[in-house]
Amino acid sequence: MIQKIGLSIVLTASVISAAEAQTKLVEKVTRQGDELVIPYSKYKLANGLTLIVHEDHSDPVVHVDVTYHVGSAREEVGKSGFAHFFEHMMFQGSDNVADEEHFKIVSESGGTLNGTTNRDRTNYFETVPSNQLATAMWLEADRMGFLLDAVTQKKFEVQRETVKNERGQNYDNRPYGLVYEMTSKNLYPYGHPYSWTTIGYLEDLNRVDVNDLKNFFLRWYGPNNATLTVGGDVKPEEVVKLAEQYFGSIPAGPAVEDMKPMVAKLDKDRYVSYEDNVRFPMLRMTFPTPEAGHKDEPALDVLAEILGQGKNSIFYKNFVKDQKAVQASASNSTSELAGEFGITVLPFPGTSLAQTEELARKSLAEFEKRGVTDEDIQRFKAQAESSLINRMASVSGKVSQLAFYETFRNDPNYIQEELKRIQSVTKADVQRVYDQYIKGKPAVILSVVPKGKTDLLAKQDNYTISKEGFTPAADQYSGLKYTKAVDTFDRSKRPGKGPNPVVKVPDYSTSKLKNGLKVISAKSEEIPTVTMQLSIKGGHRLEANMPNKAGIASLTAGMLNEDTENYTSEQFSNELDKLGSSIRINSGSEETYVTVQSLKKNLDKTLTLLEERLFRPKFTQEDFDRLKKQQLEGIANQATQPTAIANNVYDKLLYGEGNIMAIPTEGTEKTVQNITLEDVKNFYNSNYSPSVSELVVVGDINEKELMKKLDFLKNWKKKDVKMPVVAKTPTIEKTRIYLVDKPDAAQSEIRIGYLSMPYDATGEYYKAGLMNYALGGAFNSRINLNLREDKGYTYGARSYFAGGKYGGPFTASAGVRADATAESVTEFMKELTEYQKNGITPEELTFMKSSIGQSDARKYETPYQKAGFLGRIIEYDLKKDFVKKQTDILNTISEKEIDALAAKTLPVDKMLIVVVGDKKTVMPKLEALQYEVIELDTEGNQIGTSSAK
């Protein structure tokens, strides 16, 4: 129910002062019955700030989101990347918050935070315990109204380097990382707001100065261009009062008008291309479509699903199923000003993209003959409903939804309209939008080919970007003045926090079936869904009995996602989609996971499908041949990716020859070639057993109701599965550098560490995690502040202990600028050595205790979080009071204990240092360090001679 209100909000005098009475309550939305709605109250402050409050007392957490209606679309030619650059600068301190204090304050409060930028908006958000509400709002207000004097040239330069590192990591150095940039600049006219990407161009980042950035802020970051959304364990009147106190006096910025749609127009197909360091060529066809919110958007979404999403799609059948490609998909992506319908195909190596384009066009013609079915519409509607419900699993999800709808639809309750749009889509609508936007229409056709393989292009480039007709935008930045708020209180004083909220650990029930299956469950009524996770122990570790067939656990899990005795893979997927459910089977290093997600109303039908998938696999030769080929291609593709190379080589050195954990979970080309279909059947029949399995269930269902539905699991026959003894791991005699050459890599991947200890919830492993927090476990850790914030070498650096049942490594890692590789190794080792010798400071100890101690409020909010928590309890046989014991350890651990742990668990003279980078760039400086340098190939085998020290 919606109540529209045009008068000033009426509150008691004790809640709001006369000066604050200018805040107007615009509307109040409540839930009626079981309707899908997010209740909220919407207010407008005198300075134009929109405030939305969602009250939800189910968990003692609060999510604060400030969304500014400014993204890269508000930028101008030659000054790209500003909105994203400012996302970084907004974390660099303001008048009353010191440099890097924003992360520290929120982390110390037990919260988490971040910011994101896209074409159309920038948002900043925190999830904190409910007693930290005032602190979160104080922080956001300070950077809205008191930022610019704190933006120094030095901070500007450091963050410019950080943004460059981000571009290097996520665009320039990532396979296919420039696809979006190439598509955008060739799809839209020169100067169109979408013709550049959010990250911007390096030359623009190099050209701008700090004053350009400040003017951008003054133009777009006023309260009148922002929506403040607060949700969770709050009272609306309290939020209104805090909003008025901290945001109310900030002056409005220049007026901002919504931009009008600017859909791309093409007169013919535009063929463009580039070469990349990839194994698979890529064909990307992009057709212009209308903007987000357009009446045709839902029908285009259905069309994308029919053409290229899931196993029932035409592109899956014609490309993946027929072994013409490793991947083929279609999507309709919409933004505020325009939309893009994209078709992406990655054919197998050596395939001409001209052939790929021909088959893609034949697939479109096939749709014309096939048409749209009732089941197509049913699948789309069921999945859309499920998606909307699952977005409400967390306060942050609900707040983000309200903020999005307010910013782009001027209606926080647009979820009702979205449901109507989804439910009203017809078969005729889908056919119409195909005819209108795709059939016979021109597209940007991008070819991405491996370096030196231009013979694979779909066609030679036929389009050159022209500046003809471009008119520079009118100046919007001259004469802008920075005016600060005038307050009647001391804004420099950080708000008090009040007592920590009482966090209730989820109550749960446990049982064990006669066949040995362990079951743990917790009831959660917040959304009408059920989440199930079945863990079957073994996974990759079982391959120690057959190392010459490593990768069989992964291949077996893949086969279980294919045909069953009563359904083809496509039929099975169709049944799941009609329910809005999912069943996924994956294999990891120590377990095979079966993950089930279902709406409560469809649980029985979903469990019937789970029984079919788990116990009646068909294991056809056709499916086996296709999945084996895909697995082999994936292994070969990893040899082109620096991150995968670094991880695989690091593991091989850690675990050593003869240890199954030294081999990637997907296996190697040689081991996977050895696997037969009979091997897969035997692996399944021998190792999938309830006696080594655990089931976690979280959702809108009680234990009694659940157990009635698990009869099919009670009939699961147990087998005698024994975990193999894994070979001993090698000792590290001394710290050495192991270099893998990745020619011309713009960044280097670094891994530093050793094999440490197994997981222990209340022992040394848990304590070591506390010890590492100040070293490399938080944004404000020593390692990240040094390499990212102080030096600008990386987008992010970290360290962590990753212990499982059988142990795990301590690792420090980062992707760094190629020209700062040796310097980064030096700084890593300097921080590790300093911490190992001298330990933690009193300030760091206080910070760690506060941060981890208050973070419990965020641990059990969503079904997946609860499932993860319960999964650890059942896997490690933890007592019900283990959380209390952890809290006691945290509260009582001393500086002396931390120092002793650092001295013991950071053996800086006996660690591996793996570097994957461009040898000609990095080798000279690495050789100048104090460590022996050993060269390896991409599989971790020693080549050439070592450079000894």
Side-chain angles (χ1 to χ4, degrees), residues 335-355:
S335 301
E336 186 176 14
L337 308 183
E340 299 163 17
F341 193 97
I343 293 169
T344 305
V345 184
L346 273 69
F348 287 110
T351 305
S352 163
L353 291 179
Q355 295 174 298

Tab-separated table of all heavy atoms in Angstrom, residues 335-355:
chain	number	residue	atom	x	y	z
A	335	SER	N	21.239	0.315	-20.388
A	335	SER	CA	21.675	1.408	-19.529
A	335	SER	C	20.689	2.559	-19.686
A	335	SER	O	19.713	2.459	-20.435
A	335	SER	CB	23.093	1.843	-19.904
A	335	SER	OG	24.006	0.764	-19.777
A	336	GLU	N	20.959	3.651	-19.007
A	336	GLU	CA	19.997	4.753	-18.959
A	336	GLU	C	19.725	5.370	-20.332
A	336	GLU	O	18.603	5.789	-20.619
A	336	GLU	CB	20.509	5.834	-18.006
A	336	GLU	CG	19.526	6.964	-17.767
A	336	GLU	CD	20.037	7.966	-16.743
A	336	GLU	OE1	21.244	7.942	-16.424
A	336	GLU	OE2	19.217	8.775	-16.258
A	337	LEU	N	20.739	5.417	-21.197
A	337	LEU	CA	20.606	6.119	-22.471
A	337	LEU	C	20.405	5.193	-23.663
A	337	LEU	O	19.929	5.626	-24.706
A	337	LEU	CB	21.845	6.980	-22.729
A	337	LEU	CG	22.265	7.942	-21.617
A	337	LEU	CD1	23.461	8.767	-22.056
A	337	LEU	CD2	21.107	8.842	-21.215
A	338	ALA	N	20.815	3.938	-23.545
A	338	ALA	CA	20.759	3.035	-24.692
A	338	ALA	C	20.932	1.601	-24.222
A	338	ALA	O	21.347	1.339	-23.094
A	338	ALA	CB	21.859	3.393	-25.703
A	339	GLY	N	20.614	0.676	-25.124
A	339	GLY	CA	20.794	-0.742	-24.840
A	339	GLY	C	21.630	-1.407	-25.915
A	339	GLY	O	21.841	-0.852	-27.004
A	340	GLU	N	22.109	-2.612	-25.622
A	340	GLU	CA	22.943	-3.361	-26.554
A	340	GLU	C	22.558	-4.840	-26.469
A	340	GLU	O	22.578	-5.421	-25.386
A	340	GLU	CB	24.427	-3.193	-26.203
A	340	GLU	CG	24.904	-1.750	-26.271
A	340	GLU	CD	26.234	-1.546	-25.538
A	340	GLU	OE1	26.930	-2.541	-25.274
A	340	GLU	OE2	26.551	-0.379	-25.236
A	341	PHE	N	22.219	-5.409	-27.607
A	341	PHE	CA	21.944	-6.843	-27.682
A	341	PHE	C	23.191	-7.514	-28.223
A	341	PHE	O	23.593	-7.274	-29.362
A	341	PHE	CB	20.742	-7.112	-28.593
A	341	PHE	CG	20.199	-8.518	-28.482
A	341	PHE	CD1	19.114	-8.795	-27.664
A	341	PHE	CD2	20.790	-9.569	-29.182
A	341	PHE	CE1	18.615	-10.091	-27.547
A	341	PHE	CE2	20.294	-10.861	-29.073
A	341	PHE	CZ	19.208	-11.125	-28.253
A	342	GLY	N	23.825	-8.333	-27.393
A	342	GLY	CA	25.110	-8.900	-27.766
A	342	GLY	C	25.064	-10.400	-27.963
A	342	GLY	O	24.415	-11.130	-27.207
A	343	ILE	N	25.759	-10.865	-28.981
A	343	ILE	CA	25.958	-12.299	-29.226
A	343	ILE	C	27.458	-12.555	-29.162
A	343	ILE	O	28.237	-11.914	-29.869
A	343	ILE	CB	25.397	-12.717	-30.596
A	343	ILE	CG1	23.872	-12.582	-30.608
A	343	ILE	CG2	25.826	-14.142	-30.957
A	343	ILE	CD1	23.261	-12.716	-31.977
A	344	THR	N	27.878	-13.476	-28.294
A	344	THR	CA	29.296	-13.753	-28.098
A	344	THR	C	29.566	-15.231	-28.305
A	344	THR	O	28.896	-16.081	-27.702
A	344	THR	CB	29.746	-13.359	-26.673
A	344	THR	OG1	29.421	-11.988	-26.438
A	344	THR	CG2	31.246	-13.553	-26.503
A	345	VAL	N	30.546	-15.543	-29.155
A	345	VAL	CA	30.920	-16.931	-29.415
A	345	VAL	C	32.439	-17.064	-29.337
A	345	VAL	O	33.163	-16.269	-29.930
A	345	VAL	CB	30.437	-17.402	-30.804
A	345	VAL	CG1	30.756	-18.891	-30.991
A	345	VAL	CG2	28.949	-17.153	-30.992
A	346	LEU	N	32.900	-18.075	-28.589
A	346	LEU	CA	34.321	-18.422	-28.537
A	346	LEU	C	34.488	-19.797	-29.176
A	346	LEU	O	34.339	-20.822	-28.520
A	346	LEU	CB	34.837	-18.450	-27.097
A	346	LEU	CG	35.330	-17.137	-26.487
A	346	LEU	CD1	34.165	-16.183	-26.264
A	346	LEU	CD2	36.043	-17.404	-25.172
A	347	PRO	N	34.775	-19.836	-30.488
A	347	PRO	CA	34.967	-21.134	-31.141
A	347	PRO	C	36.301	-21.756	-30.731
A	347	PRO	O	37.140	-21.096	-30.123
A	347	PRO	CB	34.965	-20.769	-32.629
A	347	PRO	CG	35.475	-19.369	-32.668
A	347	PRO	CD	34.955	-18.719	-31.411
A	348	PHE	N	36.473	-23.003	-31.067
A	348	PHE	CA	37.714	-23.678	-30.725
A	348	PHE	C	38.880	-23.087	-31.514
A	348	PHE	O	38.678	-22.473	-32.572
A	348	PHE	CB	37.581	-25.181	-30.981
A	348	PHE	CG	36.723	-25.880	-29.968
A	348	PHE	CD1	35.474	-26.377	-30.304
A	348	PHE	CD2	37.162	-26.021	-28.658
A	348	PHE	CE1	34.669	-27.006	-29.361
A	348	PHE	CE2	36.365	-26.656	-27.703
A	348	PHE	CZ	35.124	-27.139	-28.058
A	349	PRO	N	40.099	-23.234	-30.989
A	349	PRO	CA	41.276	-22.629	-31.638
A	349	PRO	C	41.377	-22.996	-33.111
A	349	PRO	O	41.101	-24.133	-33.508
A	349	PRO	CB	42.441	-23.207	-30.834
A	349	PRO	CG	41.868	-23.521	-29.500
A	349	PRO	CD	40.469	-23.967	-29.770
A	350	GLY	N	41.765	-21.987	-33.910
A	350	GLY	CA	41.968	-22.214	-35.334
A	350	GLY	C	40.725	-22.051	-36.174
A	350	GLY	O	40.799	-22.056	-37.403
A	351	THR	N	39.562	-21.903	-35.537
A	351	THR	CA	38.313	-21.750	-36.290
A	351	THR	C	38.216	-20.338	-36.860
A	351	THR	O	38.443	-19.356	-36.157
A	351	THR	CB	37.100	-22.010	-35.387
A	351	THR	OG1	37.224	-23.285	-34.774
A	351	THR	CG2	35.807	-21.951	-36.192
A	352	SER	N	37.863	-20.246	-38.122
A	352	SER	CA	37.662	-18.941	-38.740
A	352	SER	C	36.419	-18.277	-38.163
A	352	SER	O	35.363	-18.900	-38.037
A	352	SER	CB	37.509	-19.108	-40.255
A	352	SER	OG	36.938	-17.960	-40.828
A	353	LEU	N	36.545	-17.001	-37.832
A	353	LEU	CA	35.381	-16.281	-37.312
A	353	LEU	C	34.367	-15.988	-38.417
A	353	LEU	O	33.210	-15.685	-38.134
A	353	LEU	CB	35.826	-14.994	-36.624
A	353	LEU	CG	36.609	-15.212	-35.316
A	353	LEU	CD1	37.033	-13.878	-34.710
A	353	LEU	CD2	35.801	-16.018	-34.303
A	354	ALA	N	34.799	-16.100	-39.669
A	354	ALA	CA	33.838	-15.989	-40.764
A	354	ALA	C	32.865	-17.166	-40.710
A	354	ALA	O	31.648	-17.001	-40.891
A	354	ALA	CB	34.570	-15.961	-42.102
A	355	GLN	N	33.392	-18.373	-40.439
A	355	GLN	CA	32.523	-19.546	-40.274
A	355	GLN	C	31.621	-19.382	-39.057
A	355	GLN	O	30.446	-19.757	-39.073
A	355	GLN	CB	33.377	-20.804	-40.101
A	355	GLN	CG	34.215	-21.176	-41.305
A	355	GLN	CD	35.139	-22.341	-40.988
A	355	GLN	OE1	36.003	-22.245	-40.113
A	355	GLN	NE2	34.957	-23.438	-41.682
